[in-house]
Amino acid sequence: MRELRIFHLYPDVLNLYGDRGNVLCLKRRLEWRGLGCTVTEVPMGERARLSDADICFIGGGQDFEQGLLLEDLRSGRAADIKAAVEDGAAFLCVCGGYQLMGHYYETASGERCQFIGALDLATVGAAERMIGNFAFETAFGTVVGFENHSGRTRLGAGVEPLGRVLRGYGNNGEDGTEGAKYKNVFCTYSHGPVLPKNPALADAVLSAALERKYGDASLDPLGDLSEREAHESVLKKILG
Amino acid sequence: MRFVLAIICCKLIRLALRVLGRGGTALPGKVALRICPDMLSRLARGVRVAVVTGTNGKTTTCRMLEKMLRDAGMDCFANRSGSNLERGITADFVSNANIFGRPKRRLAVIECDEAAFRRVCGELSPRVCVVTNVFRDQLDRYGEVTHTLGAIREGLDRAAHATVCLNADCSLTASLAADAPDRVRFFGVDTALGAAPAVSDAPRCIVCGAQYEYDYHTFAHLGGFRCPKCGYSRTEPDVAVISVSALNPDGSAAVLRIDGEVYDAAVGLPGGYNLYNAAAAIAAATALGVPAGDAVRSLARLESGFGRMERFEIGPSRITMVLVKNPAGCDRAIDYLRSIPGDCTAVFCLNDNLADGTDVSWIWDAGFERLFEGEGGGRLSLIVSGERADDMRLRLKYAGAAEDSVRVVRSESELVEAVTTAGGQVCILPTYTAMLPLRAALAAKCGRKEFWK
């Protein structure tokens, strides 16, 4: 039986906006297909062998708690994450977790926090938050969600955007990009949580991990009735 | 002159809205403030005010405090409608005044939104402030929880003469004591009511960032916390629930210690979290001069607040309505739903209007899984409704509900029909704007008054 090991990084401090629903979503979608799944929570300060992970999830947190993480990143975790990314592990990183994967975060007053640097992107803070339901088009279909961030993220040459904004702000409210995609890393600003209402994206994350581990990305189709209706109703609301 | 004009306008608009059968509380106050921006502070002159803010339990704490004051013979008024922004509060102060602005009653119990607290405290010069707790709530509106805390802190700074009643068990709320050192009354629960939460809104020390240790947990991040690094820890409360002997569907029995004296208390509202509201109300009532023993006795004679554990008996259905707004409150409602024995119709109404919070992600932080543990799910008939009914159905599916067992009801009239004919126990968990019309429809069916009458 194929099975995947999901590592939920920093569930103790990066746990805003229901993003842990993504982990539940991945787990259920494996179970419903008779595939195996284990979830390991890796809180701040705890050492874990990231090389054991098939999928890593990093959510968003509040500024106060995100600041506490920097020390943990410097103590070797950042290097572990970079190595796992280069090794092809699947990652889903949302909002603050997405920003952490980049080079740095610069506050509105010019103060710069060094982040993981696993992806060629960086974020600059601004006073005004970008808040609301939004939709973007990806290689995995239209994605709907809710964004709530003050950071403006710009992508470097080495990464692709995850999608193009249909309605809303996305990475920075200016260039029409949303999120980032690099190797098997999926980054987005979308809460909601993003995966349950966008099952094609959820399955893309699972397939990427299965392909790497077993060379077999196949997934049995699921009914997804509630998923599709929730997706459609939000999309209708957004596009009006 | 502007002052008198504003009062007259406010009274006339309010009267007109009521003639039209609407309980408008925001519009009259909004117009009045436009005409005379400082009218709230002028109307509040000579009125002793208790202001209650915090994330959860504001309304119920206010109802408890009001009951204690009335039972003690202290005539007071309150913003009973739940319109807890500056304009709603202004309208209620106008109603309490004659057209020259002289107050009729000289004691007020005011529920205040966290974001409006700063301004309202500046206007009202309260004698007592209560902060019930601080949880994540409507982050689309308030930003981060530390911002909410900062806004409350500014309000307390402006209430320089107030006794400040703080939740000793909430590490976020209790940290406000440093800003009002000589005038704090702490309330809290000395005994465990639950286990450690899966997700905490405050895992890390607000002072130094180290992880808290807990001697015991009550709800969510509330409990006997202490920081092993900097020593920031729970303070022994002035009003404490020291033990709980019964938690029943109709109420609780507990032993309280109030300023060193011990009292047996019966609380006429169910749910362990109402023990916090009771302790908060006692801390405020005693600060306003109600004898502690009298305040405790009032707890046995409570009626539930507007949509908060409110009961309706209609036809064969025994309906309980429990307003939900955020994960912490929703988890308590789920506790209640689990405590109902036997078959039960569970109704979840999810809206995403401004007053509900436009981001519905929070439903994934509430532990709906607990409804489906063991045999739990089989006894429940599930209904979802509201503007985000499809999101709610999806949440229940991932929590463990069979997809075809969840009924989606789109229209309000169909929903009223469904809950009144379901029979047996019906428990409705609506968000704020979903609650208003549904509550009005159910209240009309059992001849209950609207809140503004």
Side-chain angles (χ1 to χ4, degrees):
Chain A
M1 183 179 74
R2 291 180 295 165
E3 70 166 62
L4 294 178
R5 278 172 300 202
I6 301 174
F7 279 35
H8 184 173
L9 303 188
Y10 304 126
D12 51 336
V13 284
L14 301 182
N15 57 11
L16 274 190
Y17 308 112
D19 287 333
R20 75 200 181 109
N22 291 313
V23 176
L24 179 65
C25 177
L26 292 170
K27 181 167 180 274
R28 290 271 195 263
R29 296 184 74 78
L30 287 167
E31 289 169 352
W32 289 335
R33 291 162 160 133
L35 301 178
C37 177
T38 58
V39 176
T40 306
E41 301 209 330
V42 186
M44 196 167 107
E46 201 163 288
R47 289 271 76 92
R49 280 158 49 101
L50 285 194
S51 53
D52 289 345
D54 301 311
I55 300 176
C56 290
F57 171 73
I58 313 180
Q62 314 197 53
D63 293 343
F64 169 68
E65 279 136 5
Q66 243 158 259
L68 299 172
L69 276 179
L70 296 176
E71 202 179 320
D72 194 62
L73 290 176
R74 277 195 291 271
S75 70
R77 177 68 58 77
D80 291 354
I81 290 174
K82 262 169 131 161
V85 167
E86 289 305 317
D87 196 35
F91 274 77
L92 176 69
C93 309
V94 177
C95 199
Y98 166 24
Q99 296 172 353
L100 277 179
M101 294 297 270
H103 298 299
Y104 61 82
Y105 183 99
E106 192 176 292
T107 63
S109 55
E111 204 181 322
R112 198 175 268 203
C113 301
Q114 289 303 320
F115 280 172
I116 297 167
L119 268 64
D120 185 15
L121 55 92
T123 306
V124 176
E128 211 173 306
R129 289 186 88 82
M130 302 189 277
I131 302 178
N133 291 303
F134 78 138
F136 53 99
E137 194 62 46
T138 73
F140 322 100
T142 307
V143 172
V144 293
F146 192 94
E147 59 183 328
N148 184 354
H149 54 109
S150 59
R152 270 74 169 156
T153 298
R154 304 248 171 218
L155 305 180
V159 297
E160 294 290 311
L162 181 66
R164 295 270 157 198
V165 174
L166 294 174
R167 198 63 63 88
Y169 300 95
N171 280 337
N172 46 53
E174 284 168 15
D175 66 11
T177 64
E178 157 54 23
K181 178 82 187 2
Y182 172 72
K183 291 186 183 268
N184 284 332
V185 181
F186 299 74
C187 295
T188 178
Y189 270 114
S190 179
H191 303 292
V194 64
L195 295 185
K197 273 197 291 285
N198 301 289
L201 182 63
D203 286 350
V205 176
L206 293 176
S207 288
L210 288 168
E211 177 65 34
R212 169 182 178 248
K213 190 171 189 181
Y214 297 103
D216 174 7
S218 65
L219 286 169
D220 293 336
L222 296 172
D224 285 342
L225 174 69
S226 300
E227 285 83 348
R228 272 184 282 121
E229 291 194 359
H231 177 96
E232 288 305 321
S233 70
V234 179
L235 187 62
K236 214 166 106 188
K237 187 182 177 84
I238 295 169
L239 299 182
Chain B
M1 195 58 226
R2 288 170 78 86
F3 182 51
V4 172
L5 180 67
I7 290 171
I8 293 170
C9 283
C10 186
K11 283 182 182 287
L12 284 176
I13 296 169
R14 195 160 177 157
L15 181 68
L17 286 171
R18 280 175 197 192
V19 169
L20 295 170
R22 292 170 51 194
T25 50
L27 181 67
K30 204 169 155 182
V31 171
L33 283 169
R34 184 71 61 80
I35 298 170
C36 180
D38 69 340
M39 74 179 305
L40 184 54
S41 63
R42 295 172 68 168
L43 288 165
R45 271 176 215 157
V47 181
R48 291 202 301 161
V49 184
V51 180
V52 178
T53 194
T55 310
N56 287 318
K58 291 187 285 289
T59 304
T60 304
T61 300
C62 282
R63 292 297 76 77
M64 288 176 167
L65 177 54
E66 214 186 323
K67 178 81 179 149
M68 290 168 186
L69 296 171
R70 291 235 167 88
D71 286 355
M74 296 160 77
D75 195 16
C76 60
F77 71 101
N79 55 336
R80 294 208 54 154
S81 56
S83 178
N84 59 13
L85 301 174
E86 193 183 7
R87 50 192 190 232
I89 294 166
T90 301
D92 283 307
F93 269 87
V94 170
S95 293
N96 182 58
N98 68 16
I99 61 160
F100 303 108
R102 266 183 70 85
K104 296 170 194 162
R105 278 161 294 186
R106 297 188 169 270
L107 183 60
V109 175
I110 298 300
E111 172 186 335
C112 183
D113 179 86
E114 301 91 290
F117 184 65
R118 190 177 61 95
R119 284 184 61 86
V120 167
C121 276
E123 304 286 329
L124 294 182
S125 302
R127 296 287 289 267
V128 173
C129 291
V130 180
V131 185
T132 56
N133 46 58
V134 176
F135 289 101
R136 289 173 186 172
D137 182 36
Q138 301 192 14
L139 294 166
D140 57 313
R141 249 177 86 209
Y142 297 126
E144 307 197 342
V145 76
T146 40
H147 295 174
T148 307
L149 202 58
I152 295 174
R153 180 175 290 119
E154 287 179 32
L156 294 179
D157 285 345
R158 293 186 179 198
H161 304 293
T163 300
V164 177
C165 303
L166 299 176
N167 190 329
D169 303 351
C170 172
S171 57
L172 296 168
T173 307
S175 73
L176 295 166
D179 302 276
D182 308 322
R183 47 196 178 96
V184 173
R185 261 171 99 60
F186 277 114
F187 60 89
V189 174
D190 282 356
T191 181
L193 296 173
V199 175
S200 169
D201 287 0
R204 297 267 160 180
C205 178
I206 187 84
V207 182
C208 77
Q211 183 151 14
Y212 287 122
E213 291 173 355
Y214 279 82
D215 296 324
Y216 62 91
H217 291 271
T218 57
F219 298 120
H221 68 273
L222 309 189
F225 68 90
R226 61 193 143 73
C227 173
K229 196 165 148 206
C230 75
Y232 172 54
S233 64
R234 176 183 188 259
T235 306
E236 180 88 350
D238 304 290
V239 177
V241 174
I242 54 178
S243 68
V244 181
S245 48
L247 287 172
N248 298 320
D250 296 323
S252 312
V255 180
L256 306 184
R257 187 190 61 240
I258 305 169
D259 298 315
E261 299 283 326
V262 173
Y263 302 83
D264 283 314
V267 181
L269 288 179
Y273 56 90
N274 274 321
L275 295 173
Y276 272 108
N277 297 331
I282 289 173
T286 47
L288 287 167
V290 177
D294 295 351
V296 170
R297 274 189 291 282
S298 292
L299 290 173
R301 301 191 289 261
L302 295 168
E303 287 168 32
S304 60
F306 186 64
R308 280 88 174 167
M309 282 288 172
E310 195 173 13
R311 295 220 164 87
F312 306 86
E313 296 222 1
I314 302 172
S317 300
R318 294 197 302 285
I319 302 168
T320 310
M321 188 175 275
V322 193
L323 175 70
V324 294
K325 302 186 288 188
N326 48 47
C330 191
D331 277 336
R332 303 291 76 75
I334 289 167
D335 287 342
Y336 176 71
L337 198 44
R338 278 161 53 97
S339 77
I340 297 173
D343 291 345
C344 177
T345 302
V347 185
F348 305 94
C349 304
L350 181 64
N351 276 2
D352 64 350
N353 297 311
L354 215 52
D356 306 295
T358 56
D359 181 8
V360 297
S361 301
W362 65 268
I363 60 174
W364 293 82
D365 279 330
F368 288 100
E369 285 74 18
R370 293 184 298 131
L371 291 175
F372 303 99
E373 281 167 3
E375 299 298 302
R379 67 190 181 87
L380 297 176
S381 303
L382 300 166
I383 295 176
V384 295
S385 190
E387 287 154 38
R388 298 299 287 261
D390 297 296
D391 281 78
M392 196 60 230
R393 178 167 72 153
L394 187 61
R395 176 70 187 96
L396 293 177
K397 178 180 176 181
Y398 279 85
E403 189 159 48
D404 53 11
S405 73
V406 183
R407 183 174 159 203
V408 184
V409 175
R410 303 279 174 196
S411 83
E412 191 197 304
S413 56
E414 197 189 333
L415 184 62
V416 171
E417 176 73 16
V419 299
T420 53
T421 57
Q425 294 285 353
V426 179
C427 187
I428 308 176
L429 277 61
T431 58
Y432 188 71
T433 68
M435 182 269 283
L436 294 175
L438 187 57
R439 190 207 165 272
L442 296 179
K445 276 196 182 277
C446 41
R448 202 171 294 175
K449 283 178 184 171
E450 287 303 334
F451 65 78
W452 64 84
K453 285 180 182 157

